Amino acid sequence: MNTADLGLPVEVPSTALFTDQYELTMLQAALKAGTAGRRSVFEVFTRRLPNGRRYGVVAGTGRVLDAVENFRFDAGVLGFLRERGIVDEETLEWLAGYRFGGDVWGYPEGEVYFPGSPIMRVEGTFGECVLLETVILSILNHDSAIAAAASRMASAAGTAR
């Protein structure tokens, strides 16, 4: 579901519903435990590549940064979460003021990476960062898969001069 489906403005859609419900309940548990404000570092990396592939190609960093910038829980999104009982009122209040205030570091678009190398690092509080996991992984997995496939096709085609 996207914000347009909720009747929200389309010009700058929120990416808040691009997270898993699991991340929202993790935040709720962290708020209850008093750990949501702890400084945290999340790293995005590939454990292994598909058979026969020696490298990957980073793509999607620009889309990730746009998604993080637009990650908001406005009235429509909060109402959606409230109506379905996904999180409690304390968590909804925290989400209403959500703005990512951390830092994002990473490889530039088009950079080659290898298994185990962190291509993106997200630093902030646990509460801020945990909500971004799904959207970041989704964008980087999709865009990098396309970029790696394009690289393999260009390599297989050889250099045209």
Side-chain angles (χ1 to χ4, degrees), residues 7-55:
L8 303 174
V10 189
E11 32 318 308
V12 181
S14 169
T15 54
L17 292 180
F18 293 173
T19 195
D20 286 335
Q21 181 175 329
Y22 170 77
E23 309 300 353
L24 294 167
T25 56
M26 288 273 294
L27 169 64
Q28 180 174 291
L31 287 169
K32 287 189 185 317
T35 58
R38 285 191 183 163
R39 294 296 300 167
S40 299
V41 175
F42 287 66
E43 291 184 333
V44 178
F45 63 93
T46 299
R47 288 188 178 97
R48 63 188 169 284
L49 295 169
N51 288 335
R53 298 186 190 163
R54 299 180 317 215
Y55 65 90

Side-chain angles (χ1 to χ4, degrees), residues 4-161:
D5 294 337
L6 296 172
L8 303 174
V10 189
E11 32 318 308
V12 181
S14 169
T15 54
L17 292 180
F18 293 173
T19 195
D20 286 335
Q21 181 175 329
Y22 170 77
E23 309 300 353
L24 294 167
T25 56
M26 288 273 294
L27 169 64
Q28 180 174 291
L31 287 169
K32 287 189 185 317
T35 58
R38 285 191 183 163
R39 294 296 300 167
S40 299
V41 175
F42 287 66
E43 291 184 333
V44 178
F45 63 93
T46 299
R47 288 188 178 97
R48 63 188 169 284
L49 295 169
N51 288 335
R53 298 186 190 163
R54 299 180 317 215
Y55 65 90
V57 178
V58 176
T61 53
R63 285 196 333 120
V64 165
L65 295 175
D66 287 344
V68 169
E69 182 180 0
N70 295 316
F71 201 90
R72 302 281 187 276
F73 293 85
D74 54 27
V77 173
L78 293 168
F80 175 84
L81 297 173
R82 180 178 286 113
E83 287 170 16
R84 285 154 184 82
I86 294 172
V87 292
D88 61 18
E89 285 299 318
E90 176 190 359
T91 306
L92 289 168
E93 286 177 30
W94 191 93
L95 292 171
Y98 180 86
R99 300 292 181 271
F100 181 71
D103 294 305
V104 179
W105 307 88
Y107 289 16
E109 298 268 350
E111 186 75 26
V112 170
Y113 69 88
F114 301 96
S117 59
I119 64 170
M120 186 169 282
R121 181 181 172 114
V122 181
E123 299 177 9
T125 67
F126 178 81
E128 288 177 308
C129 295
V130 73
L131 294 176
L132 299 174
E133 180 181 7
T134 305
V135 68
I136 290 172
L137 290 175
S138 296
I139 292 170
L140 290 176
N141 282 337
H142 176 264
D143 292 14
S144 294
I146 292 170
S151 174
R152 288 190 315 277
M153 286 182 232
S155 179
T159 305
R161 292 190 192 237

